[in-house]
C-alpha cells in the first residue's frame, strides 16, 4: 500500500508538471509516455495508440520496438493496443509465444523480440479513444502490482492530458474572438457600419460561402484595408 501511496503522490506531481509545461497535446502525450517507462516496473518501451475517425495512429513512442508493435497492429487490424483503446479495458499479454487472442500479431511481435505487453485505456474527451501501451522483451514482465500502477498512471495522465486540451481549446477560442474582432473593426471602418451591422455582414458572408466565421474573418484581416 505504501508503494501505491508513493506512486500516487508522484503521479500528482507529474500531472501538475504536464499542465504547467506542455503547450500542446503532442507534448503532453510525449511527457506522459516517457514518465510511464521510467515509473512502471517492467516497462522498456511505450507508445500511445490513438483511434480517431476510424484511423489508427501512433502519435508518440518511446523506443523503436514499441513503434514497430503499433505498426504491426495497424497493418493487421488486431492487437492488444487497439483492443484496450476501443473497448475501455486493461489488456495484457504475459508471453507473446503463447498468445492466442491475436495470433497474427502475436507471432509477428514475438519475431520482433517483444515478449509481454500491458495496455491501458486512456480517456480522451470526445469521440476519439486511446491506449497507453507498455512493452517488454521479457515474458511476464508486468506483475499485478505493475498493472495496478499502470491503471493509476493512465487515470492521472488522462486528467493532465484533458487539462492540456482544455487550455488549447481556450486559446483557440480567444484567438478566434480576437480575429473576428479585428475583421469587424475593419468592416466598420471600411463600410461605415456599427458593430452589430458589421457582425451581421460577417455572418452573411460565412453563410453565403459556406465558410466558418473565423475563416472569413482571417481572409478579411489578411487582405488588409483597401488602398
Amino acid at each position: 500500500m505504501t508503494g501505491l501511496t508513493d506512486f500516487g503522490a508522484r503521479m500528482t506531481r507529474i500531472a501538475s508538471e504536464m499542465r504547467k509545461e506542455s503547450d500542446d497535446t503532442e507534448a503532453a502525450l510525449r511527457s506522459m509516455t516517457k514518465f510511464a517507462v521510467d515509473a512502471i516496473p517492467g516497462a522498456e518501451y511505450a507508445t500511445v495508440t490513438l483511434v480517431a475517425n476510424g484511423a489508427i495512429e501512433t502519435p508518440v513512442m518511446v523506443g523503436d520496438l514499441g513503434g514497430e508493435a503499433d505498426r504491426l497492429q495497424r497493418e493487421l487490424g488486431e492487437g492488444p493496443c487497439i483492443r484496450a483503446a476501443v473497448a475501455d479495458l486493461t489488456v495484457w499479454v504475459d508471453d507473446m509465444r503463447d498468445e492466442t487472442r491475436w495470433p497474427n500479431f502475436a507471432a509477428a511481435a514475438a519475431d520482433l523480440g517483444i515478449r509481454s505487453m500491458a495496455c491501458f485505456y486512456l480517456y480522451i474527451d470526445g469521440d476519439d479513444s486511446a491506449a497507453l501501451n507498455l512493452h517488454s522483451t521479457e515474458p511476464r514482465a508486468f506483475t499485478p502490482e505493475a498493472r495496478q500502477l499502470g491503471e493509476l498512471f493512465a487515470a492521472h495522465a488522462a486528467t493532465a492530458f484533458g487539462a492540456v486540451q482544455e487550455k488549447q481549446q481556450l486559446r483557440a477560442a480567444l484567438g478566434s474572438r480576437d480575429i473576428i474582432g479585428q475583421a469587424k473593426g475593419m468592416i466598420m471602418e471600411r463600410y461605415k457600419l456599427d458593430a452589430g451591422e458589421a457582425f451581421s455582414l460577417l455572418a452573411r458572408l460565412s453563410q453565403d460561402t459556406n465558410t466558418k466565421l473565423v475563416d472569413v474573418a482571417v481572409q478579411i484581416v489578411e487582405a488588409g484595408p483597401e488602398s
Side-chain angles (χ1 to χ4, degrees), residues 8-178:
R10 183 179 180 187
M11 278 307 309
T12 300
R13 185 170 64 255
I14 290 171
S16 177
E17 291 173 3
M18 289 173 65
R19 283 194 293 269
K20 291 177 181 177
E21 298 175 3
S22 295
D23 293 326
D24 54 59
T25 52
E26 183 178 346
L29 286 171
R30 190 182 306 111
S31 296
M32 177 191 67
T33 309
K34 176 65 167 60
F35 284 135
V37 173
D38 293 340
I40 299 174
E44 298 176 45
Y45 311 96
T47 63
V48 171
T49 299
L50 177 65
V51 182
N53 299 319
I56 303 169
E57 304 173 15
T58 305
V60 176
M61 68 183 75
V62 176
D64 292 339
L65 200 60
E68 283 296 297
D70 266 33
R71 179 187 61 79
L72 284 173
Q73 291 175 87
R74 288 196 302 272
E75 292 178 355
L76 297 170
E78 67 171 32
C81 303
I82 298 173
R83 176 66 173 166
V86 302
D88 187 3
L89 296 171
T90 295
V91 180
W92 64 89
V93 177
D94 286 328
D95 195 328
M96 285 293 173
R97 294 167 294 188
D98 301 328
E99 179 56 53
T100 59
R101 289 170 291 182
W102 309 282
N104 294 326
F105 167 74
D111 287 342
L112 288 176
I114 297 172
R115 291 291 177 263
S116 53
M117 290 179 61
C119 308
F120 308 94
Y121 175 72
L122 182 63
Y123 176 76
I124 296 179
D125 191 25
D127 296 330
D128 299 343
S129 57
L132 171 65
N133 317 300
L134 308 178
H135 312 72
S136 176
T137 57
E138 297 294 328
R140 291 171 287 279
F142 301 106
T143 64
E145 182 182 27
R147 296 171 200 160
Q148 192 173 6
L149 292 175
E151 290 176 345
L152 179 63
F153 188 100
H156 277 76
T159 300
F161 181 60
V164 173
Q165 284 185 309
E166 289 177 3
K167 183 168 63 176
Q168 280 190 304
Q169 291 166 358
L170 177 60
R171 287 175 177 171
L174 291 174
S176 297
R177 186 187 67 179
D178 289 345

